Amino acid sequence: MILWLCLCWGFSPSAAQPDSELMARYLEEQLLADSSIVEQVARRVPRQAKFLQRLETRPRMSEFHVRSTIISRYAFTTVSCTMVNSGSEAREAVFEMQIPAAAFISNFTMSIGNKTYYGEVTGKEKKNSTNDKERHKKPPSPTEGRENGYETFKASVFIPRKMQARFILHYEELLQRRLGKYEYTVSVRPQQLVGRLRVEVNILENSGIVSLEVPPLRNSKQKGNGKAEGDVSPPPSTVIGHTKTLAKVTFNPSVVEQTRIARNGILGDFIIRYDVSRELSVGDVQILNGYFVHYFAPTDLPPLPKNVVFVLDSSASMVGTKLKQTKEALFTILQDLRPEDHFNIIGFSNRIKVWQQDRLVPVTPNNIRDAKKYIHNMSPTGGTNINGALQTGAKLLNDYIAQNDIDARSVSLIIFLTDGRPTVGETQSSKILSNTKEAIRDRFCLFTIGIGNDVDHKLLERMALENCGMTRLFQEDEDAASHLKGFYDEIGTPLLSDIRVDYPEDDVEQVTQNFFPNYFNGSEIIIAGKLINRTSDKLHVEVTASNSKKYILLKTDVAIDLPSRNDIRGVPGLEDGKGDNNYIERAWSYLTIKELLNSRLKSDDSQEKDSLMEKAKSMALAYNFVTPFTVLKMKEAGLHSEPPQEEFISPSTDGIGEKVQSLQGHKAPPGIRRGQDKQRIKISKTSADGDPHFVIDFPSSKFSVCFNIDGEPGDILRLVSDHRESGVTVNGQLIGAPAPPNGHKKHRTYFSTITILSNKPERSYLEITPKRVILDDGERLVLSCGRSAVVRSRSLEVSISAFSNITVTIRDAISFVILIHHYRKPAPHQRNHLGFYISNSKGLSSDSHGLLGQFLNHEVKLLQESLNTSHQEVGQNQTEALKANPTNTLQVKGRLVPVVWKQRRIFNGQQEVECWFAKNNADKLIDGSYKDYLASHPFDTGSSFGTINSL
């Protein structure tokens, strides 16, 4: 018997397995009750098909089965294929499977007749070895797939007459987020009709699954598989079911349904796209068995301005479809540029032509029109001067950055497109790489695009890697225009720059990359590492980044579950998970190996390259991954061994469900004292909190005054009004609640929203609720109150202490603190609400007004009422003696206000304040009446009675 095994790849890895037979049952029980969730499909083969099968000389594929389990973006896939030789002599059977280029194969098993062969991952031998030469006697099939994103695994065996062969392949991958979706793809290309064909994908995302979709089968050589362009329905026989965190998708077409899709067998990719629930925070940190993985993909951020140079190949080889599609894509891309962006275009062949000499132009209708004309007139001619084009583009962008007062947080980048190899000027790849790196010097990123089969893939990949960019390859016969536009969409909306993720050095080790030059909308940053101290109960996480005009600091403590808390006994389908299949540990090893491979690719030092190769090889062998430095060798298991079974081992899911340490919830992690941050805040007693109760502190008089406002639900109270001078206004909106039993009030009111507006030096506002903070200074930013964060701009700083308070500082001269009151089990008369405290009022003018603001720069006098109704001013040393007198009086701006001595709790009830209380909605204490302080809307900046303005 002759056995061939070919692994056909460019520069990748391949991966492991796990299943979900038991997990699928659990998923089915959790899914919505739907009798169609498991569809019974007819297995009868049409008579004509049977006749065609008899004419076939190759073995017949009787079964093709793919099962996948995706847990927190990490996918385990098992492919099982059975082939039958019904002929009278031995025939060759070829098992061929396209797998994602980013995947790692982890296992492969075959049984032929009564013999079983299993794969063993070993270190790759030197290229000049006999085995290596022998392996290449049978050339691999060319790599196919959209964007060159697949590699072909091929096993070729001879099956004896009247016997069958079974192939089981396992691979693993960490799904990447692009354009706001994770995409899981299974290649379904059996090349013939299959009696039993089934794809089953189970997804478990503790953060919550959103936007789950299954588009039509995708064929790289056909547009939409011949379907109508607007058809977005799933393939025939697809069944989709999901709950909030679990999903099950099956594709189980009968032979008749397969024939309708493709008469000679299905040729296409079965695709599942989905996203998870997320918010602006430190992200989703999951911890299990001493390892952690951190997913960071914030939303609701304004885009950063771009400085972009398009460098486009216009050599003779671009003639025809390639240049036409490039032009179509650029027309659309130019239309998508934003008004704050700047751009230029360079066309190159053996000559280099710059559209606008020595500058980048702003995005205006006229500039876009002229740029389109320039692109339209580009014609293919001459050779390919890659080095010269990149040097010109880098110099153009460097000079623009150096000579212009550009936005400090704008993102600069070069988008480079070619279809060939260097033929003019510098043609040595090593020189082009070093020249490009020297020209860019880490000042901006380079993104490379290759079209066709003649492109130097390794050159483009390394140029992008060395200069913080990405690369994409498109086949010549594909719809390059849509792919080019799709790639630009991935990088066209930068949201953050200079992102750094930090953990305490004494708590973690072997952390993957934690600094990223840019974060683009719809993508995701992933970091993984090992915990040093597994007995600790928390892990501190800090994320710093720049966003447009703001500096952002996000921080939190993540609770680490002890092993006893990760008990999953009683959860069907999860009891048999093996510890060595810990999906977080495997995700960490996957990322680490990928980074070692990329580092080796970028390195020019031979010793460093060897060291990186050995590290990658050692880890790949430890985790049974097939990489460029490891191979899969087949060994016979023995004559009497059992044939391989579809042994779908569920990955370890300790901590799954409510027990996975995800930061998506709103509960304070154990071990964190909520009062810790609060105690560090220095604020005055001047405040409006509770129902609402107002307190005004007069330090020089050494006493406080307090009053209540009995407003109506929906009322908006003007608390501070200094719009004309300092530009600051604070309004608070009331929410209603039933009055407590046996109380004298008809209802209670609390502050549900605090709005802080400022128009100096530029317009901005903050809208604060117990759940979130919205900051808008021309660009909208949404922050969760359940996540610690700091956001700084030129004149404003917002600091959130999770679950506790928000501090707002304006121009370093005005500070407000908003306390968050959250009830776990609120009584009927309680509502989650806010308290407003003034920390620093030095920046407010003497003309500031509002229910609190009018007292900030004025003093009041306490008078003693004698029997003859004459009033005497009380000295500071007499105040204590008057506390028991119920008929004391305050003198405020010439008005006499009767007051009584009272005690009041502030700061979440943690401090008791003694104060002189003015009754009747602060009658005579405040200027005018209560109704004079009602704003018409949250953004009303009126500063005097009867005046309404808007920011």
Side-chain angles (χ1 to χ4, degrees), residues 703-715:
F703 63 78
S704 299
V705 177
C706 51
F707 60 91
N708 293 347
I709 291 294
D710 295 327
E712 296 294 326
D715 282 355

Side-chain angles (χ1 to χ4, degrees), residues 74 145 377 379 383 585 635 656 674 687 696 801 942:
Y74 197 74
N377 292 329
S379 57
E585 180 181 352
K635 294 189 176 183
I656 284 298
R674 293 192 178 190
S687 60
I696 302 138
S801 178

Side-chain angles (χ1 to χ4, degrees), residues 177 180 210 275-283 296-303 495-496 519-524 547 552 554 664 772-773 780-784:
R177 188 169 183 258
V210 296
D275 199 15
V276 300
S277 301
R278 66 185 80 248
E279 60 188 22
L280 180 60
S281 67
V282 297
F296 180 63
T299 58
D300 295 320
L301 292 169
L495 299 183
L496 293 172
Y519 166 72
F520 297 100
N521 187 39
S523 65
E524 184 171 59
N547 165 254
I552 297 174
L554 306 170
Q664 300 298 329
R772 67 178 186 177
V773 177
R780 184 181 172 91
L781 179 65
V782 181
L783 298 156
S784 168

Side-chain angles (χ1 to χ4, degrees), residues 162-180:
K162 306 298 182 183
M163 299 188 77
Q164 70 178 23
R166 192 173 197 191
F167 309 88
I168 299 178
L169 174 69
H170 306 290
Y171 62 88
E172 302 174 20
E173 61 181 313
L174 183 61
L175 302 185
Q176 301 298 309
R177 188 169 183 258
R178 294 182 182 175
L179 302 176

Side-chain angles (χ1 to χ4, degrees), residues 71 92 100 126 175 188 233 236 303 320 617 667 832 851 857 893:
I71 303 181
E92 184 183 30
K126 294 182 180 180
L175 302 185
V188 186
S233 58
K617 182 192 295 186
K667 298 178 181 178
N832 294 337
L851 287 168
N857 293 288
K893 300 180 182 179

Side-chain angles (χ1 to χ4, degrees), residues 394-524:
K395 184 178 187 304
L396 182 67
L397 199 48
N398 274 319
D399 290 347
Y400 175 76
I401 294 171
Q403 298 170 10
N404 293 273
D405 185 21
I406 66 169
D407 191 316
R409 293 183 175 88
S410 62
V411 173
S412 300
L413 49 96
I414 292 177
I415 298 178
F416 176 82
L417 181 146
T418 184
D419 75 327
R421 300 171 181 270
T423 60
V424 176
E426 181 60 66
T427 58
Q428 288 188 27
S429 295
S430 59
K431 288 287 185 66
I432 295 174
L433 287 168
S434 60
N435 291 343
T436 303
K437 192 171 183 179
E438 174 65 23
I440 292 177
R441 292 188 178 181
D442 298 325
R443 294 190 184 99
F444 45 84
C445 297
L446 170 65
F447 297 85
T448 59
I449 303 169
I451 301 179
N453 298 322
D454 296 329
V455 71
D456 189 339
H457 172 212
K458 288 188 176 180
L459 174 63
L460 295 185
E461 181 181 38
R462 185 167 172 184
M463 279 198 303
L465 279 175
E466 289 184 350
N467 298 285
C468 70
M470 298 184 293
T471 189
R472 290 286 186 275
L473 299 181
F474 307 126
Q475 297 302 306
E476 190 172 342
D477 54 0
E478 295 180 306
D479 181 11
S482 64
H483 291 326
L484 285 171
K485 178 59 171 59
F487 180 56
Y488 173 79
D489 288 343
E490 288 185 47
I491 62 175
T493 309
L495 299 183
L496 293 172
S497 60
D498 300 329
I499 306 100
R500 184 177 182 87
V501 185
D502 288 307
Y503 316 89
E505 292 183 359
D506 295 336
D507 292 346
V508 299
E509 62 181 351
Q510 299 183 46
V511 177
T512 59
Q513 177 184 349
N514 69 332
F515 177 79
F516 304 86
N518 300 299
Y519 166 72
F520 297 100
N521 187 39
S523 65
E524 184 171 59

Side-chain angles (χ1 to χ4, degrees), residues 73 456 876:
R73 295 78 145 172
D456 189 339
Q876 294 178 5

Side-chain angles (χ1 to χ4, degrees), residues 85 92 178 226 360 448 521 529 534 577 592 597:
N85 178 14
E92 184 183 30
R178 294 182 182 175
L360 270 66
T448 59
N521 187 39
R534 296 194 180 192
T592 302
L597 296 178

